[in-house]
Amino acid sequence: MSEATRHDPARLTAFAEALCRAAGLNAPKADAVARTLVESDLLGHATHGLALLPRYLEDMGNGGMATEGEPEVLRDRGACVTWNGRRLPGPWLVHRALDLALDRVGTYGTVTVAIGDSHHIGCLAAYLTRATERGFMLVLSSSASAAAAVAPFGAITGVLAPDPVAAGIPTDAEPILMDVSASITTINMAGRLQKEGGQFPHAWVQDAEGRASTDPAVLTRGGTLLPAGGQDHGQKGYAWALMNEALTQGLSGYGRADRPSGWTASVLLQLYDPEAFAGIDAFRRQTSHTAAACRAATPRPGVARVRLPGESGLAHRREALRDGVMLSPAILAGLEAAARKLGVAVEV
């Protein structure tokens, strides 16, 4: 099998945008989707980067993703806004919501936007630095209300989604960037391993009989993803997922109770201006102290040093901007097939 190859991020973004335009998105929507997916690859989140674009393009063509229009404003109380996303492109909706929050946070101190029935929003970490580079803290939560791949703790029936939450936290140095799920692993990671014939490093899934397993293929035979904590302490991930689905689906008013189908997401975006609380200097004093203490903690045997969430992703981003984005042959093949179908020249 051929090795992964490196590609210029700007050329990749232009290529992805051209594919989205050919599939029916206007320039702002195509730009948001392309930039967000490439940013995911820059940060090293390969399962949620350009690997997703062929599926997005397919949904643009079959009506699974709306390509035209605006979100419906259901409520607007200034600091608290609710949209029906109308299955429009998730990256465009999230960036629009963040634009609104950035515009208003100086007035309100904190702004929250709930979005129901968005299309998939991609990698949550890809949005965070837009806030942290301005000195704001961003918390972003998402749930796939049509997905039921995660079993509640103690069950073998899939009910919940992986339910990720991300946060960007400014410090005096690099920001802390966390992006974690309420399940041990994700649906996309399981799918990737199945294609590669690989196994999970630990028992992160369970089969249809409730036996913990490292085999992602059990998900095709009635198995489920385990909540964070696994079969030992999975009540923690289970509770987290319930809270996340209340925040995303409950506050947006769209979720499992509507029995949705297709690739839909419910989203909650929360932006905080530390200056409206104890002040940005006080905020960074605390976050920087804790970050430094974590880095200075004595590592356990076999660990070179203690890192902060997002540290490896930011390092990966710097390397990719310098040397090019690494794409696997499988991702490239998917993009090239989509380009042939849409009549777009492959220029990466």
Side-chain angles (χ1 to χ4, degrees):
M1 187 175 182
S2 301
E3 294 184 357
T5 51
R6 291 191 178 272
H7 304 267
D8 178 68
R11 291 173 67 87
L12 282 178
T13 303
F15 178 46
E17 184 174 354
L19 289 171
C20 290
R21 292 294 302 273
L25 294 187
N26 64 18
K29 292 182 175 70
D31 174 70
V33 171
R35 283 189 297 109
T36 303
L37 295 182
V38 173
E39 181 67 15
S40 302
D41 281 313
L42 284 169
L43 290 168
H45 296 278
T47 60
H48 285 65
L50 288 171
L52 293 175
L53 186 54
R55 295 173 63 192
Y56 281 15
L57 296 169
E58 183 179 348
D59 265 17
M60 293 174 202
N62 65 24
M65 178 193 292
T67 56
E68 298 179 350
E70 298 285 324
E72 178 186 359
V73 179
L74 302 179
R75 298 280 193 282
D76 188 344
R77 294 190 178 183
C80 181
V81 180
T82 308
W83 293 346
N84 178 341
R86 299 181 52 247
R87 208 65 67 95
L88 287 159
W92 177 74
L93 285 170
V94 174
H95 280 296
R96 283 284 298 274
L98 184 52
D99 288 341
L100 181 150
L102 288 167
D103 183 60
R104 297 185 183 187
V105 75
T107 300
Y108 297 108
T110 178
V111 178
T112 302
V113 183
I115 310 172
D117 202 18
S118 163
H119 197 271
H120 189 259
I121 71 171
C123 170
L124 276 60
Y127 304 95
L128 300 177
T129 57
R130 282 197 61 203
T132 58
E133 66 190 9
R134 293 167 171 82
F136 302 132
M137 177 174 170
L138 175 62
V139 179
L140 183 62
S141 304
S142 176
S143 64
S145 53
V150 182
F153 182 62
I156 60 173
T157 304
V159 175
L160 302 164
D163 290 312
V165 62
I169 305 170
T171 73
D172 285 338
E174 288 188 329
I176 299 168
L177 304 178
M178 58 167 276
D179 184 349
V180 290
S181 295
S183 57
I184 300 180
T185 188
T186 65
I187 298 169
N188 284 336
M189 179 57 74
R192 177 181 174 184
L193 284 176
Q194 286 180 56
K195 289 180 181 178
E196 296 172 352
Q199 298 276 309
F200 290 116
H202 303 285
W204 293 349
V205 293
Q206 63 182 359
D207 64 21
E209 287 71 42
R211 293 184 293 260
S213 176
T214 62
D215 184 4
V218 301
L219 299 181
T220 66
R221 303 189 294 270
T224 52
L225 302 177
L226 287 168
Q231 292 188 334
D232 184 32
H233 285 84
Q235 75 273 12
K236 297 178 182 292
Y238 175 34
W240 171 3
L242 290 172
M243 180 182 71
N244 191 66
E245 298 208 358
L247 289 171
T248 56
Q249 299 174 33
L251 293 183
S252 73
Y254 185 89
R256 298 189 185 282
D258 301 288
R259 298 186 178 182
S261 60
W263 212 355
T264 182
S266 297
V267 180
L268 190 75
L269 181 151
Q270 299 168 289
L271 187 69
Y272 299 90
D273 181 1
E275 196 59 46
F277 295 86
I280 185 62
D281 291 338
F283 181 90
R284 283 182 167 162
R285 176 172 172 265
Q286 298 297 334
T287 60
S288 300
H289 176 88
T290 302
C294 289
R295 287 195 181 100
T298 303
R300 70 171 185 260
V303 176
R305 63 183 181 87
V306 177
R307 298 182 301 178
L308 290 169
E311 189 174 331
S312 61
L314 290 170
H316 189 282
R317 189 179 193 277
R318 288 191 294 271
E319 178 184 327
L321 287 172
R322 183 188 68 232
D323 301 331
V325 177
M326 189 78 77
L327 292 182
S328 72
I331 293 175
L332 277 176
L335 295 174
E336 290 167 354
R340 288 193 297 271
K341 183 176 180 180
L342 294 168
V344 174
V346 179
E347 298 179 351
V348 294

